[in-house]
Amino acid sequence: EISACLVGSEMCIRDSTHGLKVSNLRNSSLYRMGVKPGYALTEINNTQIKKTEDLLNFNSSIKINQMMFVTPNGEKERLIFE
């Protein structure tokens, strides 16, 4: 199992069948937006994320404008940052 932490260890994720499952969330902004452990991160800036290796190809100098998550019950939620 591969895991990684994003945003200065504020969101820890693990590979899952639907994307990257959030296993730990210390980012209060994302939590207030409704993201909770068990959600799966599937897209960043319209780029599909299937496994932690995909994050290695993500250019960290580019501002994150949106993230797509799938809830544990299968609903998609898109967060848009301005």
Side-chain angles (χ1 to χ4, degrees), residues 16-46:
S16 76
T17 55
H18 295 291
L20 301 177
K21 187 175 182 180
V22 176
S23 61
N24 188 353
L25 188 66
R26 296 182 194 135
N27 185 311
S28 60
S29 296
L30 290 176
Y31 182 81
R32 283 193 304 271
M33 291 177 175
V35 176
K36 297 184 175 45
Y39 280 40
L41 173 64
T42 59
E43 290 180 18
I44 297 175
N45 292 349
N46 293 318

Side-chain angles (χ1 to χ4, degrees), residues 13-73:
I13 44 100
R14 298 184 186 279
D15 288 346
S16 76
T17 55
H18 295 291
L20 301 177
K21 187 175 182 180
V22 176
S23 61
N24 188 353
L25 188 66
R26 296 182 194 135
N27 185 311
S28 60
S29 296
L30 290 176
Y31 182 81
R32 283 193 304 271
M33 291 177 175
V35 176
K36 297 184 175 45
Y39 280 40
L41 173 64
T42 59
E43 290 180 18
I44 297 175
N45 292 349
N46 293 318
T47 299
Q48 192 170 26
I49 305 293
K50 293 183 179 181
K51 53 190 181 287
T52 50
E53 293 173 3
D54 295 338
L55 295 175
L56 297 175
N57 299 324
F58 189 77
N59 185 344
S60 62
S61 66
I62 295 175
K63 181 181 178 205
I64 295 176
N65 295 316
Q66 60 181 336
M67 299 171 92
M68 174 77 80
F69 291 89
V70 175
T71 68
N73 62 359

